[in-house]
Amino acid sequence: MNHPPKLQVNNLTVNFGNLMAVNNVSLEVYPGEIAGLIGPNGAGKTTTFNAITGLIIPSSGKVFFNGHDITGMLPHKICRLGMSRTFQVIKAFAHMTVEETVRVGAYNRCNEKNVYKKVDQIIKLCDLADLRDKLCSDLGLAILRRVELARALATEPEMLLLDETGAGLNQTELLSFMDLLRKINMEYSITLLVVEHVMQMVMGVCSRIVVLDSGEVIATGNPESISTNPKVIEAYLGKRVPQCY
Amino acid sequence: MKQILSTKYLPFISIFSLIALIPLVISKDQYAMVLVTTVLLYAVLASAWNIIGGMAGQLDLGAGAYIGLGAFTTGTLLTRWNITPWIGMFIGGFVSVSFAILIGLPLFRFKIKELWYALTSSALVEVLRIVFLMWDEVGGPTEKYLPGGGDNALYSLRFSTYIPYFYIILIFLVIVIYLNHRIRNSKLGFSLLALGEDEDAAEVLGVDARGNKLKALMIYSFIVGTVGGLYACLYGFLHPSFFSTEISTEVVILGIVGGMGITYGPFLAAIFLVSFREYLRAALGGELAGLYLAVYAVVLIVVALFQPRGIAPLFRRLFEKVIRSLGGREHESSAKASS
Ligand SMILES: Nc1ncnc2c1ncn2[C@@H]1O[C@H](COP(=O)(O)OP(=O)(O)OP(=O)(O)O)[C@@H](O)[C@H]1O
Ligand SMILES: [Mg+2]
């Protein structure tokens, strides 16, 4: 790891009233890797994502992206710098078609002339060609997860944060989704930080994992060391057994 | 290229050409002229609302404020400094835009939406009405009549019949609907639609929420303010009641019933609802004042229940059916013509 980190989070803290959802969290994600962020329900994973992407302003701590301080910056500016995300609870553009949804993201870097080319390219990449004229409100969860990924990819990010993209997918859908993630990571060199409950996916794609529990980082390491770490096992067994397919 | 251009806009051009012929048929009937002019006027307002409400999803109830500001600016410029409303109404548009920015900046800064946005924009109408009621130099409780008419009709935009107004408003409508169409197919339109669907999701995709909403509000308030200037000339006087929450509500109803974000939606809604309302008012008004409003409300509830996405999709399906049944024959005839 000679490179400076792509994303660096220093002592991030988020309070909701007197609930400390994220407590003094520090983590790094390095260029080109697929890092995992795991932890039991309510550990503060989504809140960490929200604070990184500018949707909520952290109570304290700093977030650096490519060395720039992006703490408290507006989300669209962070996107312009090259970071986008998906949502755990799908936020589909219900009354827009798949093509239109992707086009929203594509405008981040494209003008009216080359936006169509970008949309076509992303739709092909995410295997959505048959569905491009379908309204998002007519689509199922598995497809919508792919549409969310597609519109985020259309912004031409350097880094993507994926919040439980594997949740609710069946085995075949999950495998094809994992392939897609590896592909965008390898071929488009997009750095990924994924929040995931599905252990098969975490272990399958992540090279490094950060474990959160009650808002705090309790372990960091490669998949093998994490799955045998007693603190991690305790955190999960105390609350919830990891979902193993 | 020219071929594509002309066929693409063919329905647009032919519909508006047909509308332009209406006064030739009914110009003798004063009541009918008032009715069609009113329909067009509301169609312009609701089409403008479509940009901020239909696309960006901001439930704006401020139309009455911008109409009033446009009307008073235009009227006062004419009365005091003899500035023609042809210029005055655009100045009125800019005055409306300044007020829109004044309330838009803080509201969008704090992500105020739905009910709270609706209430604030509605309050703007009431506040301005009271201000103009007390501000004797410009407003005041009695009507201030506009000069002009007669030989000066064109300069002071004060005509004795509805026909010139009909055509001026029709031109406005063509422009506003074309503008809707252009915005809907551009970066601005996609940004607004995305914001209307889900603001967080739009923002992380690079959509500047505050900037785009402010742009939409400015376009909308400019159009409504300009129409306000025309409104003053049409009525021939100024009165604080121009700051009307009823007009604001009507505009929102048309925008929603037409179909949020759909270019032709508000126009369709204006055609049906405004003429229906006027018909009811004429038919029932004598019997029981206010009954027409009750019937009108029932119709709105029916639309809300059975066409929650507005009436435009219904008409699109109908239109496509007609085109398809005509299309077959058209293709045959064009094939024959070319061979
Ligand atoms: N907007 C909010 N207001 C108040 N409390 C919140 C808010 N969002 C999250 N929380 C609380 O903060 C804690 C962390 O929530 P968060 O959604 O970040 O957890 P998570 O790790 O993503 O969990 P999950 O695995 O269920 O998605 C939880 O206790 C949650 O109830
Ligand atoms: Mg979560």
Side-chain angles (χ1 to χ4, degrees), chain B residues 272-291:
Chain B
F272 287 97
L273 288 186
V274 175
S275 42
F276 178 63
R277 189 197 60 191
E278 293 302 317
Y279 164 78
L280 283 179
R281 203 212 300 268
L284 302 174
E287 316 242 322
L288 199 66
L291 182 63

PDB file of all heavy atoms in Angstrom, chain B residues 272-291:
ATOM      1  N   PHE B 272     -60.343  21.216 -20.149  1.00  0.00           N
ATOM      2  CA  PHE B 272     -61.490  20.513 -19.590  1.00  0.00           C
ATOM      3  C   PHE B 272     -62.004  21.159 -18.305  1.00  0.00           C
ATOM      4  O   PHE B 272     -63.186  21.445 -18.185  1.00  0.00           O
ATOM      5  CB  PHE B 272     -61.154  19.039 -19.354  1.00  0.00           C
ATOM      6  CG  PHE B 272     -61.072  18.297 -20.628  1.00  0.00           C
ATOM      7  CD1 PHE B 272     -59.850  18.069 -21.235  1.00  0.00           C
ATOM      8  CD2 PHE B 272     -62.228  17.884 -21.271  1.00  0.00           C
ATOM      9  CE1 PHE B 272     -59.773  17.423 -22.447  1.00  0.00           C
ATOM     10  CE2 PHE B 272     -62.165  17.239 -22.500  1.00  0.00           C
ATOM     11  CZ  PHE B 272     -60.931  17.002 -23.089  1.00  0.00           C
ATOM     12  N   LEU B 273     -61.101  21.390 -17.378  1.00  0.00           N
ATOM     13  CA  LEU B 273     -61.568  21.847 -16.070  1.00  0.00           C
ATOM     14  C   LEU B 273     -62.071  23.286 -16.093  1.00  0.00           C
ATOM     15  O   LEU B 273     -63.112  23.590 -15.522  1.00  0.00           O
ATOM     16  CB  LEU B 273     -60.464  21.687 -15.026  1.00  0.00           C
ATOM     17  CG  LEU B 273     -60.179  20.246 -14.619  1.00  0.00           C
ATOM     18  CD1 LEU B 273     -59.179  20.217 -13.471  1.00  0.00           C
ATOM     19  CD2 LEU B 273     -61.455  19.536 -14.199  1.00  0.00           C
ATOM     20  N   VAL B 274     -61.351  24.176 -16.753  1.00  0.00           N
ATOM     21  CA  VAL B 274     -61.786  25.571 -16.727  1.00  0.00           C
ATOM     22  C   VAL B 274     -63.115  25.728 -17.466  1.00  0.00           C
ATOM     23  O   VAL B 274     -64.029  26.390 -16.974  1.00  0.00           O
ATOM     24  CB  VAL B 274     -60.706  26.506 -17.322  1.00  0.00           C
ATOM     25  CG1 VAL B 274     -61.220  27.934 -17.395  1.00  0.00           C
ATOM     26  CG2 VAL B 274     -59.435  26.451 -16.484  1.00  0.00           C
ATOM     27  N   SER B 275     -63.253  25.078 -18.621  1.00  0.00           N
ATOM     28  CA  SER B 275     -64.526  25.248 -19.322  1.00  0.00           C
ATOM     29  C   SER B 275     -65.652  24.536 -18.571  1.00  0.00           C
ATOM     30  O   SER B 275     -66.776  25.027 -18.512  1.00  0.00           O
ATOM     31  CB  SER B 275     -64.444  24.778 -20.774  1.00  0.00           C
ATOM     32  OG  SER B 275     -63.739  23.599 -20.881  1.00  0.00           O
ATOM     33  N   PHE B 276     -65.308  23.400 -17.952  1.00  0.00           N
ATOM     34  CA  PHE B 276     -66.301  22.682 -17.162  1.00  0.00           C
ATOM     35  C   PHE B 276     -66.766  23.551 -15.983  1.00  0.00           C
ATOM     36  O   PHE B 276     -67.966  23.676 -15.711  1.00  0.00           O
ATOM     37  CB  PHE B 276     -65.690  21.374 -16.663  1.00  0.00           C
ATOM     38  CG  PHE B 276     -66.586  20.547 -15.790  1.00  0.00           C
ATOM     39  CD1 PHE B 276     -67.772  20.023 -16.297  1.00  0.00           C
ATOM     40  CD2 PHE B 276     -66.250  20.290 -14.472  1.00  0.00           C
ATOM     41  CE1 PHE B 276     -68.599  19.254 -15.499  1.00  0.00           C
ATOM     42  CE2 PHE B 276     -67.076  19.525 -13.670  1.00  0.00           C
ATOM     43  CZ  PHE B 276     -68.245  19.010 -14.187  1.00  0.00           C
ATOM     44  N   ARG B 277     -65.816  24.170 -15.323  1.00  0.00           N
ATOM     45  CA  ARG B 277     -66.140  25.011 -14.177  1.00  0.00           C
ATOM     46  C   ARG B 277     -67.019  26.195 -14.595  1.00  0.00           C
ATOM     47  O   ARG B 277     -68.007  26.511 -13.958  1.00  0.00           O
ATOM     48  CB  ARG B 277     -64.855  25.521 -13.540  1.00  0.00           C
ATOM     49  CG  ARG B 277     -65.052  26.232 -12.227  1.00  0.00           C
ATOM     50  CD  ARG B 277     -63.836  27.039 -11.871  1.00  0.00           C
ATOM     51  NE  ARG B 277     -63.559  28.042 -12.903  1.00  0.00           N
ATOM     52  CZ  ARG B 277     -62.453  28.752 -12.969  1.00  0.00           C
ATOM     53  NH1 ARG B 277     -61.500  28.562 -12.109  1.00  0.00           N
ATOM     54  NH2 ARG B 277     -62.292  29.652 -13.922  1.00  0.00           N
ATOM     55  N   GLU B 278     -66.626  26.824 -15.704  1.00  0.00           N
ATOM     56  CA  GLU B 278     -67.397  27.973 -16.176  1.00  0.00           C
ATOM     57  C   GLU B 278     -68.803  27.553 -16.591  1.00  0.00           C
ATOM     58  O   GLU B 278     -69.779  28.261 -16.376  1.00  0.00           O
ATOM     59  CB  GLU B 278     -66.684  28.667 -17.331  1.00  0.00           C
ATOM     60  CG  GLU B 278     -65.387  29.341 -16.935  1.00  0.00           C
ATOM     61  CD  GLU B 278     -65.573  30.386 -15.833  1.00  0.00           C
ATOM     62  OE1 GLU B 278     -66.538  31.161 -15.915  1.00  0.00           O
ATOM     63  OE2 GLU B 278     -64.764  30.380 -14.878  1.00  0.00           O
ATOM     64  N   TYR B 279     -68.881  26.357 -17.205  1.00  0.00           N
ATOM     65  CA  TYR B 279     -70.185  25.841 -17.606  1.00  0.00           C
ATOM     66  C   TYR B 279     -71.055  25.615 -16.368  1.00  0.00           C
ATOM     67  O   TYR B 279     -72.217  26.017 -16.324  1.00  0.00           O
ATOM     68  CB  TYR B 279     -70.013  24.542 -18.386  1.00  0.00           C
ATOM     69  CG  TYR B 279     -71.284  23.751 -18.518  1.00  0.00           C
ATOM     70  CD1 TYR B 279     -72.253  24.120 -19.462  1.00  0.00           C
ATOM     71  CD2 TYR B 279     -71.548  22.660 -17.693  1.00  0.00           C
ATOM     72  CE1 TYR B 279     -73.445  23.425 -19.568  1.00  0.00           C
ATOM     73  CE2 TYR B 279     -72.731  21.959 -17.788  1.00  0.00           C
ATOM     74  CZ  TYR B 279     -73.682  22.341 -18.725  1.00  0.00           C
ATOM     75  OH  TYR B 279     -74.853  21.652 -18.822  1.00  0.00           O
ATOM     76  N   LEU B 280     -70.452  24.980 -15.356  1.00  0.00           N
ATOM     77  CA  LEU B 280     -71.192  24.730 -14.115  1.00  0.00           C
ATOM     78  C   LEU B 280     -71.636  26.031 -13.475  1.00  0.00           C
ATOM     79  O   LEU B 280     -72.764  26.154 -13.010  1.00  0.00           O
ATOM     80  CB  LEU B 280     -70.317  23.966 -13.118  1.00  0.00           C
ATOM     81  CG  LEU B 280     -70.117  22.491 -13.345  1.00  0.00           C
ATOM     82  CD1 LEU B 280     -69.209  21.930 -12.265  1.00  0.00           C
ATOM     83  CD2 LEU B 280     -71.447  21.754 -13.328  1.00  0.00           C
ATOM     84  N   ARG B 281     -70.724  26.991 -13.480  1.00  0.00           N
ATOM     85  CA  ARG B 281     -71.042  28.270 -12.860  1.00  0.00           C
ATOM     86  C   ARG B 281     -72.256  28.902 -13.559  1.00  0.00           C
ATOM     87  O   ARG B 281     -73.174  29.393 -12.912  1.00  0.00           O
ATOM     88  CB  ARG B 281     -69.843  29.206 -12.940  1.00  0.00           C
ATOM     89  CG  ARG B 281     -69.888  30.296 -11.852  1.00  0.00           C
ATOM     90  CD  ARG B 281     -69.278  31.588 -12.291  1.00  0.00           C
ATOM     91  NE  ARG B 281     -67.884  31.523 -12.671  1.00  0.00           N
ATOM     92  CZ  ARG B 281     -66.868  31.744 -11.828  1.00  0.00           C
ATOM     93  NH1 ARG B 281     -67.095  32.004 -10.576  1.00  0.00           N
ATOM     94  NH2 ARG B 281     -65.637  31.713 -12.270  1.00  0.00           N
ATOM     95  N   ALA B 282     -72.251  28.814 -14.877  1.00  0.00           N
ATOM     96  CA  ALA B 282     -73.356  29.386 -15.640  1.00  0.00           C
ATOM     97  C   ALA B 282     -74.643  28.593 -15.422  1.00  0.00           C
ATOM     98  O   ALA B 282     -75.723  29.144 -15.253  1.00  0.00           O
ATOM     99  CB  ALA B 282     -72.994  29.418 -17.118  1.00  0.00           C
ATOM    100  N   ALA B 283     -74.516  27.252 -15.392  1.00  0.00           N
ATOM    101  CA  ALA B 283     -75.700  26.402 -15.313  1.00  0.00           C
ATOM    102  C   ALA B 283     -76.287  26.359 -13.897  1.00  0.00           C
ATOM    103  O   ALA B 283     -77.501  26.343 -13.736  1.00  0.00           O
ATOM    104  CB  ALA B 283     -75.351  24.986 -15.784  1.00  0.00           C
ATOM    105  N   LEU B 284     -75.420  26.324 -12.897  1.00  0.00           N
ATOM    106  CA  LEU B 284     -75.900  26.139 -11.531  1.00  0.00           C
ATOM    107  C   LEU B 284     -75.890  27.422 -10.718  1.00  0.00           C
ATOM    108  O   LEU B 284     -76.523  27.507  -9.677  1.00  0.00           O
ATOM    109  CB  LEU B 284     -75.042  25.102 -10.797  1.00  0.00           C
ATOM    110  CG  LEU B 284     -74.952  23.722 -11.409  1.00  0.00           C
ATOM    111  CD1 LEU B 284     -73.965  22.861 -10.646  1.00  0.00           C
ATOM    112  CD2 LEU B 284     -76.324  23.048 -11.407  1.00  0.00           C
ATOM    113  N   GLY B 285     -75.105  28.399 -11.217  1.00  0.00           N
ATOM    114  CA  GLY B 285     -74.889  29.619 -10.433  1.00  0.00           C
ATOM    115  C   GLY B 285     -76.166  30.247  -9.937  1.00  0.00           C
ATOM    116  O   GLY B 285     -76.262  30.649  -8.779  1.00  0.00           O
ATOM    117  N   GLY B 286     -77.186  30.282 -10.793  1.00  0.00           N
ATOM    118  CA  GLY B 286     -78.431  30.943 -10.432  1.00  0.00           C
ATOM    119  C   GLY B 286     -79.160  30.231  -9.316  1.00  0.00           C
ATOM    120  O   GLY B 286     -79.745  30.850  -8.434  1.00  0.00           O
ATOM    121  N   GLU B 287     -79.100  28.899  -9.355  1.00  0.00           N
ATOM    122  CA  GLU B 287     -79.865  28.102  -8.408  1.00  0.00           C
ATOM    123  C   GLU B 287     -79.316  28.226  -6.988  1.00  0.00           C
ATOM    124  O   GLU B 287     -80.041  28.480  -6.046  1.00  0.00           O
ATOM    125  CB  GLU B 287     -79.815  26.620  -8.800  1.00  0.00           C
ATOM    126  CG  GLU B 287     -80.007  26.415 -10.278  1.00  0.00           C
ATOM    127  CD  GLU B 287     -81.235  25.596 -10.595  1.00  0.00           C
ATOM    128  OE1 GLU B 287     -81.490  24.660  -9.822  1.00  0.00           O
ATOM    129  OE2 GLU B 287     -81.905  25.895 -11.584  1.00  0.00           O
ATOM    130  N   LEU B 288     -78.018  27.982  -6.904  1.00  0.00           N
ATOM    131  CA  LEU B 288     -77.415  27.904  -5.583  1.00  0.00           C
ATOM    132  C   LEU B 288     -75.970  28.343  -5.723  1.00  0.00           C
ATOM    133  O   LEU B 288     -75.162  27.629  -6.276  1.00  0.00           O
ATOM    134  CB  LEU B 288     -77.502  26.453  -5.082  1.00  0.00           C
ATOM    135  CG  LEU B 288     -77.343  26.231  -3.597  1.00  0.00           C
ATOM    136  CD1 LEU B 288     -78.490  26.846  -2.803  1.00  0.00           C
ATOM    137  CD2 LEU B 288     -77.288  24.732  -3.329  1.00  0.00           C
ATOM    138  N   ALA B 289     -75.692  29.541  -5.238  1.00  0.00           N
ATOM    139  CA  ALA B 289     -74.330  30.044  -5.366  1.00  0.00           C
ATOM    140  C   ALA B 289     -73.364  29.087  -4.689  1.00  0.00           C
ATOM    141  O   ALA B 289     -73.621  28.615  -3.585  1.00  0.00           O
ATOM    142  CB  ALA B 289     -74.228  31.429  -4.740  1.00  0.00           C
ATOM    143  N   GLY B 290     -72.285  28.740  -5.342  1.00  0.00           N
ATOM    144  CA  GLY B 290     -71.288  27.878  -4.718  1.00  0.00           C
ATOM    145  C   GLY B 290     -71.492  26.400  -5.009  1.00  0.00           C
ATOM    146  O   GLY B 290     -70.588  25.607  -4.791  1.00  0.00           O
ATOM    147  N   LEU B 291     -72.674  26.036  -5.539  1.00  0.00           N
ATOM    148  CA  LEU B 291     -72.907  24.613  -5.822  1.00  0.00           C
ATOM    149  C   LEU B 291     -71.917  24.117  -6.876  1.00  0.00           C
ATOM    150  O   LEU B 291     -71.445  22.983  -6.826  1.00  0.00           O
ATOM    151  CB  LEU B 291     -74.347  24.403  -6.298  1.00  0.00           C
ATOM    152  CG  LEU B 291     -74.730  22.946  -6.571  1.00  0.00           C
ATOM    153  CD1 LEU B 291     -74.643  22.121  -5.288  1.00  0.00           C
ATOM    154  CD2 LEU B 291     -76.138  22.835  -7.155  1.00  0.00           C
TER     155      LEU B 291
END
